[in-house]
Amino acid sequence: MKATAIAHPIQGLAKYHGMRDPELRLPYHDSISVCTAPSHTRTTADFESDREADVYVVDGEELSGRGEERVRAVVDRVRKLAGFDERVRLESENSFPSNVGFGSSSSGFAAAAMALCAAAELDLSRPEISTVARRGSSSAARAVTGAFSQLHTGLNDHDCRSERIESELEDELRIVAGLVPAYKETERAHEEAADSHMFGARMAHMHGQIAELRDALRSGDFERTFELAEHDSLSLAATTMTGPAGWVYWQPETIAIFNRIRELRDDGVPAYYSTDTGASVYVNTTEEHVDRVERAVSECGVDTHVWEVGGPARIVDDPLF
């Protein structure tokens, strides 16, 4: 019982922050994201009847501590759904840098959930598999369904699952990723989210923002979609910076990119910046303007990648072992 899956990481557009249930990873509110390709995680899972213990390897290193616990939560959920207790060997590789704000946990747990469910011979839809991936990372639920997706909040797996939002922007969008390699700690930021005095204000406007963003995607309104994403990045930063630990993820290069994108926009270029929990920056633009935007971002002294919209997690015939 062996299977391999690929999943693309997400860029948060209306980002979740904090969890009402950290074990099941149930977020306080809905969230919407877009998957980025060709960046991806590839994962192979193999349930073996004669194996004595689980083994989890990511980018050549065996996991321990909190990383191991998070993978085990996904594996245990699959074992429960499958009705067996076989041990598993799971190996994963990323095609892009991790722990720098590019969503490696989303693609990692999405690919793991997809591969594990296939290896366990579970016949599940992608929204159902998204509830498995969510136990490792809430953002991974959206990486399972792919492209533009919305994770609905809820208190159980029937409600708290991801669905894809169809949008004509899938073909038009180009994402210039500016790599600012500053390590970040997302887990701790989520743990203290509700302790920020800005958290209540964020909660108050998220419901309306989700509705507006979903409508903008459905209608193919590029400017409204990514203006909302840009504003959400500022709102998230305000919440993390005003928590007990005073998290400040942005670096000088981050701010330089923000300012350069504003200058481009003043010059008529459709470009909007966005950040997740980290210093790296996504710049959302169109195919027509992507070369100019990439030059502008690279002039800020950072490495760049140009990505398109990635599809859902999928099974492939290219195992890691």
Side-chain angles (χ1 to χ4, degrees):
M1 299 196 294
K2 182 178 182 178
T4 301
I6 280 180
H8 301 290
I10 63 97
Q11 172 200 168
L13 302 179
K15 294 164 273 289
Y16 86 96
H17 187 51
M19 291 170 284
R20 65 175 72 246
D21 185 326
E23 182 177 347
L24 296 178
R25 303 190 79 87
L26 302 174
Y28 283 106
H29 56 75
D30 286 17
S31 53
I32 295 176
S33 63
V34 60
C35 281
T36 61
S39 56
H40 67 273
T41 301
R42 181 161 53 109
T43 300
T44 298
D46 188 9
F47 286 104
E48 301 171 323
S49 58
D50 57 350
R51 176 171 288 278
E52 295 183 356
D54 291 340
V55 175
Y56 313 134
V57 177
V58 176
D59 288 334
E61 295 187 8
E62 188 169 343
L63 293 181
S64 61
R66 181 58 182 149
E68 180 184 16
E69 291 175 1
R70 290 175 68 181
V71 174
R72 189 185 308 119
V74 177
V75 172
D76 285 347
R77 179 58 178 166
V78 171
R79 279 195 280 244
K80 183 175 181 179
L81 291 171
F84 61 61
D85 196 36
E86 291 186 8
R87 302 297 99 183
V88 70
R89 176 184 175 189
L90 184 144
E91 293 194 15
S92 182
E93 289 184 353
N94 295 307
S95 72
F96 61 101
S98 59
N99 288 314
V100 293
F102 283 156
S104 59
S105 64
S106 63
S107 56
F109 286 107
M114 197 78 185
L116 287 162
C117 287
E121 300 180 350
L122 294 173
D123 184 17
L124 301 176
S125 67
R126 282 192 175 85
E128 289 171 329
I129 295 172
S130 79
T131 70
V132 176
R134 194 199 67 230
R135 283 165 165 78
S137 167
S138 291
S139 60
R142 288 175 269 119
V144 171
T145 50
F148 294 102
S149 283
Q150 178 174 351
L151 175 61
H152 299 276
T153 190
L155 299 180
N156 54 64
D157 287 344
H158 294 287
D159 297 328
C160 191
R161 58 177 60 192
S162 179
E163 66 159 339
R164 184 162 171 171
I165 303 171
E166 299 296 334
S167 175
E168 64 186 43
L169 296 182
E170 288 184 18
D171 296 328
E172 182 179 7
L173 176 62
R174 295 295 181 271
I175 302 155
V176 177
L179 172 60
V180 183
Y183 182 82
K184 49 86 181 178
E185 181 56 71
T186 306
E187 279 275 285
R188 289 183 60 191
H190 282 306
E191 289 172 3
E192 64 174 40
D195 295 327
S196 165
H197 68 274
M198 296 292 292
F199 184 71
R202 180 169 172 79
M203 287 290 292
H205 81 258
M206 282 307 299
H207 181 73
Q209 180 157 314
I210 289 289
E212 188 171 353
L213 181 56
R214 186 182 177 98
D215 181 69
L217 286 168
R218 290 286 194 197
S219 60
D221 189 331
F222 187 95
E223 178 179 353
R224 187 158 58 110
T225 293
F226 295 106
E227 185 177 66
L228 286 165
E230 184 173 291
H231 289 170
D232 185 69
S233 297
L234 299 174
S235 170
L236 177 68
T239 308
T240 58
M241 287 191 289
T242 52
W247 296 103
V248 180
Y249 293 107
W250 295 343
Q251 299 296 311
E253 297 92 336
T254 309
I255 303 300
I257 295 171
F258 290 176
N259 291 335
R260 189 70 184 94
I261 295 310
R262 289 190 179 107
E263 291 171 359
L264 285 179
R265 204 155 60 224
D266 289 342
D267 199 30
V269 177
Y272 300 86
Y273 60 79
S274 173
T275 62
D276 287 335
T277 307
S280 296
V281 184
Y282 301 97
V283 181
N284 298 297
T285 188
T286 62
E287 183 178 13
E288 178 184 357
H289 297 278
V290 67
D291 291 340
R292 182 177 177 184
V293 171
E294 184 186 18
R295 285 195 301 271
V297 174
S298 64
E299 287 168 1
C300 295
V302 302
D303 292 334
T304 60
H305 303 273
V306 175
W307 291 331
E308 301 180 4
V309 175
R314 63 193 184 277
I315 299 299
V316 296
D317 294 322
D318 189 15
L320 291 171
F321 60 86

